[in-house]
Structures are given as C-alpha cells and as structure tokens.
Amino acid sequence: VQLQASGGGLVQVGGSLRLSCAASGNILGIKTMYWYRQAPGKQRELVATSTSGGSAKYGDSVKGRFTISRDNAKNTVILQMNSLKIEDTAVYYCNAEVILSDLTLGDYWGQGTQVTVSS
C-alpha cells in the first residue's frame, strides 16, 4: 500500500494550492484521511480530517480557508488551500487509515509535499 502526495509548490500570499493524496495497492478504501503539516522548528500539526462518513474537521488556523474532500472511487483525498498565508509554509503529509483487502485497517503515511507561501 502506498500513499502518494502531490500538489505542493510555491505560491504568493493569498494564492491557492490543491494537494492530492492517492492510496494505491491491495485496498478496499480509505476510512479516515488526515492532512498534517510541519514547519521548520515546529511540531507536526493536524490540519484537516476526512472521515468515511463524509464529515470534515479542520484545525483552527485553517478553518474557512482549507477544504478537504474525497474521491472514493479513486481512493484520493484532496486538500484545497485558499487564501494562503506565510504561516502556511510547511511540509504537508497525508496519513490514512486504509481498509485492506482482508478487512483489517492499516495506517500509512505519504512522503510529504512542500508548500511555500511567499510575500
């Protein structure tokens, strides 16, 4: 099972980026997907959560600016980031509880994608 994160890059303040995290391998689906971020010298921060029931939760620092969504057919979760701020600069990681083919759950991390917001 692999989680492939993509979509990071360099953007100016106020701009937007769209991160994608796709799960592949012998899986039945994604139960819960998390996006975390870690800025230099700071602890890893939970940014957004998407549950299999369709609910979404956000960290206080990104509420109203970030939106997490899912494409269950493609086992992909998207993080749409709007109105980006300097302080959103970090490496973003996806983490998923994946439903494996034997109906057990596995916990997997993507490789991280850099988001840099410049003034």
Side-chain angles (χ1 to χ4, degrees):
V1 177
Q2 283 190 325
L3 291 187
Q4 182 68 42
S6 61
L10 175 64
V11 65
Q12 290 189 322
V13 170
S16 297
L17 281 175
R18 184 174 180 267
L19 304 185
S20 176
C21 184
S24 62
N26 198 14
I27 64 174
L28 296 180
I30 299 174
K31 183 169 186 263
T32 307
M33 174 71 81
Y34 308 90
W35 280 101
Y36 289 86
R37 68 185 181 187
Q38 189 164 20
K42 294 189 176 181
Q43 289 188 329
R44 189 167 292 187
E45 174 189 10
L46 178 60
V47 174
T49 303
S50 172
T51 70
S52 57
S55 66
K57 297 180 181 179
Y58 301 94
D60 288 341
S61 61
V62 306
K63 281 180 182 175
R65 301 187 297 120
F66 290 12
T67 302
I68 190 169
S69 61
R70 305 166 67 110
D71 183 339
N72 289 324
K74 296 181 179 179
N75 290 323
T76 297
V77 178
I78 304 297
L79 185 68
Q80 179 66 42
M81 307 187 294
N82 298 328
S83 303
L84 284 162
K85 304 176 181 180
I86 296 285
E87 52 264 41
D88 293 319
T89 296
V91 178
Y92 284 70
Y93 298 90
C94 56
N95 169 235
E97 293 176 323
V98 174
I99 305 170
L100 302 174
S101 58
D102 61 0
L103 301 181
T104 60
L105 289 178
D107 185 80
Y108 298 92
W109 287 84
Q111 82 280 17
T113 183
Q114 176 71 46
V115 171
T116 303
V117 185
S118 65
S119 58

